[in-house]
Amino acid sequence: MEELVLEARGITKRYPGTTALDDVDFDVFKGAVNVLVGENGAGKSTLTKILAGVEEATTGRILRQGKPIRYSSPFEARNHGVGIVFQELNLVPNLSIAENMFMAREIMRNRFMIDHERQESEAAEALRRLQLDLPPSTLVSSLGIGQQQIVELAKALHGDVDILIMDEPTSALSEQEVKVLFEIIVDLKARGTAIVYISHRFEEILEIGDYITVLRDGRLISKARIRDIDIHWIVREMTGEEEKPPVPRRKSLGGALLEVNHLRLPNFSGGYKVNDVSFKLRKGEILGIYGLMGAGRTELLECLVGAQPDATGQIVLEGREIASSRVDQRIIDGFSLIPEDRKQQGIVQTFTIAENMTLASLSRYTGRFSISSAGEGRAVDDMIRELAIKIGSKTHSIFSLSGGNQQKVVVGKNLLTNPRVLLMDEPTRGIDVGAKKDMFDIVRKLTDEGLGIIMVSSELKEMLTIPDRVLVLNKGRLTGEFDRSELSQATLLLASGSK
Amino acid sequence: MTTSVRNSGKGGNSFTSLLIQLRTFGVLILICAFFGLMAPNFLTYGNIPILAKHIAVNAILAMGLVFVLLTGGIDLSIGSIVGLAGMVAGGLIYEGIPLNFLGVAVYFNAPAIMVLALLIGMAIGFANGWLITKFNVAPFIVTLGMMYIARGLALLRSNGATFPNLQGASEHNTTGFPVLGAARLLDIPLSVWITAALAFFFIYLARKTPFGRHVYAVGGNEIAAKLSGVNVDRIKIRVYMISGLTAALVGLIVTSELVAAHPATGTSYEMNAIAAAVLGGTSLAGGRGTIGGTLVGACIIGVLNDGMVMMGVSEFWQTVIKGIVIIAAVILDQVQAEIQRRSAMAKI
């Protein structure tokens, strides 16, 4: 069974300014689950994209059954038998299973007409193999997430694909659906399909994997057979050493600021996105929220800022129970959210720098009817100075700024509302190292003034170095609470990844 | 034709941005000069007030509508509101509210009638906004439905007939309604003064008040606006109330000018208003556009209309040419936006 079907040799990928992959080798064995793990930014997704043809390596070779091959698009990769299922589902909901499977490679009856019968009979056979007992004419919109995942599999496997890349296939699935998926994987293995499996969930890896490759900071760290290793080995290899965090920041915190009791957010398809979460926050404290994708981190912050009308539970801010339910009211109460996706949720693209910055606090500069340009300008100037935002002119478009400076404008917008609790969702996403440092200097300074901060980040290093305390969420539930002194990469990973 | 009127002129090369700002205006001047040459009676002391009166109707409608467009919505019901408001006012003047079981009719005076008609326009706008936000239905659908409803109500009011002779009767204290359409101040029709006053007020509203800023924010990025504490639903309801109000006002003006209310009045006015806004640089995707630009857009359409009539261009060709101008203007605008975007990218 130890037959290599695909070898990546000496793969290096450089982007302007950074090296995402540095001379990495990766082996894919036939009829086996080849696991790829690493922290965020370790280079997993870059390697995956190169194998799937989405990106091309700067240098390095890919060998198929020992022979070098080249491809530069997912389409060409398919021709070499490499298929991929991305983390996000890419199906068109208003079309049928068969139509989705044959999207852009339809079987034609003649030049103009699709041969629906043949498509559906081939789709039916593919579905049978994957044990999905549904007519291929079923609309994708009527399927559950797990079933859609299987349709993605069928789509990726169709044709002569014998190498299947799966990027975190279980992140959106229920336990029952995971079980079904694993049965399919076992079956695929038995038929000789090689699977490249990317996951953050260690128990799953141990259950389904055969070989494991660990990346860290763009380099190949180690390779092993799964049967020879355990969870602690994975964590050790992923994170480097069993390092202790730099423990300083033991400043005295202020009194109670925020108390959250039994916060719940129901999920559309049953269950809860945030499930009975309770915690406290003190003045001047930085509380980190860690968890995998889909753990309910963003939703938790949205509940606090009033962006989730279906949320239930008790929120007490400075001894006063919060009764309001809308974002504008919550902002007045003292909550403010720096959203995860700056472009989609943080900035108004058609606005200038100044207009973006004052959007949440206009009432402060408004007299009886109109906005005072002078008052508004002064607030913006002060904030630009305080946050050291590099701009040409505050009347330029927000797009004249780099990502880091755009993010600082968003921070400024939030600070101008005079928040008591600042909620930060991935505040350093997509900004460079210098801007990250600035961001955290600002955060630390704010806590000196008694502001409470709740910060979500998927960067382990940030979680270890910035917060005073970290809560870990897993599938909506609070599964761990760690003081700064007890934090380590391993504890966080275990609390977030275990069932 | 100036997507970025609002943003340009605040930064960058001020001369270039001034040119961009004045571009639509330049087109207007060119068109005026063209018709001035081709139709000798066009730019005369006698004709300009008439032209201005024609423009005023579309300008008021378009300026109210532009708030809706700025939020990324659309209001197709305004033409029908024009008709309904006219019928409500006309009916109240013509026959009051007949109380048949008492054998008498209740009459209101002209100002009260006008206020009532305006309130009805606002109420329809509120209904539009409420339905759109409460049930999350596309503005196109809701206002399309409302277009039929309001038109139907206008027809029902008189069973399709016209209310003629709206001079009013002094014994009912209903006189004075034709003043709105006929009065002149310094030789300029009242409706033109109203347009000017509204333009100043709307420019103030759009540029200087939190409401205006929020309207632009909702159209620019609704999610970001919401997370910044903008009460998106309230803003949306209010913009439809504004467009309902201006539509009712236009209904009153047109009815007063004709001294008669006909239920088909205002048919397809919404299209002229949309065209004026788009010509003035308003983006139907929301977030971009100005009152000033819209005013210029309405002038262009008005000048084109009247100019071609005076030149003797066939009515059918007029329609074709208007369509071509609108499409060409928007294409130009896209090209210009692309050039601006590229030069902005090059600076980064």
Side-chain angles (χ1 to χ4, degrees), chain A residues 307 326-328 331 343-345 347-351 355 358-360 362 366 369-371 373 376 395 399 413, chain B residues 6-7 10-12 204 208-210 213-214 216-217 220-221 223-231 287-288 348:
Chain A
R326 288 201 321 254
V327 181
D328 51 335
I331 287 177
K343 214 169 152 190
Q344 299 297 324
Q345 309 172 310
I347 59 172
V348 177
Q349 293 87 341
T350 50
F351 270 19
E355 287 167 336
T358 56
L359 179 59
L362 279 179
T366 308
F369 297 111
S370 44
I371 303 167
S373 314
E376 188 184 6
T395 59
F399 278 134
K413 173 173 79 176
Chain B
R6 213 175 70 84
N7 291 325
K10 287 186 181 177
Y204 170 80
K208 288 290 174 192
T209 65
R213 193 71 67 79
H214 288 170
Y216 281 99
N221 187 343
I223 299 169
K226 188 185 162 206
L227 290 177
S228 299
V230 175
N231 191 335
R288 288 203 167 96
I348 292 170

Side-chain angles (χ1 to χ4, degrees), chain A residues 254-285:
Chain A
L257 176 64
L258 174 72
E259 191 179 333
V260 174
N261 292 316
H262 307 296
L263 194 66
R264 273 207 175 91
L265 178 65
N267 198 345
F268 236 123
S269 51
Y272 292 94
K273 284 181 185 160
V274 177
N275 196 349
D276 198 17
V277 171
S278 302
F279 64 90
K280 287 177 182 162
L281 179 72
R282 294 168 67 182
K283 284 181 182 147
E285 187 179 26

Side-chain angles (χ1 to χ4, degrees), chain A residues 48-95:
Chain A
T48 315
K49 283 180 188 157
I50 289 170
L51 292 179
V54 179
E55 302 220 14
E56 269 192 285
T58 312
T59 59
R61 292 185 305 156
I62 294 174
L63 307 176
R64 180 80 157 106
Q65 259 105 13
K67 286 192 284 290
I69 54 168
R70 284 183 70 88
Y71 48 80
S72 57
S73 73
F75 186 78
E76 289 174 43
R78 277 189 73 84
N79 291 341
H80 289 290
V82 182
I84 184 164
V85 176
F86 290 101
Q87 189 173 2
E88 295 88 21
L89 297 170
N90 290 299
L91 298 174
V92 184
N94 56 341
L95 295 181

Side-chain angles (χ1 to χ4, degrees), chain A residues 213-227:
Chain A
T213 302
V214 185
L215 298 182
R216 190 198 315 144
D217 297 330
R219 289 197 192 83
L220 173 67
I221 297 304
S222 50
K223 295 195 255 191
R225 284 169 175 277
I226 298 268
R227 63 167 185 257

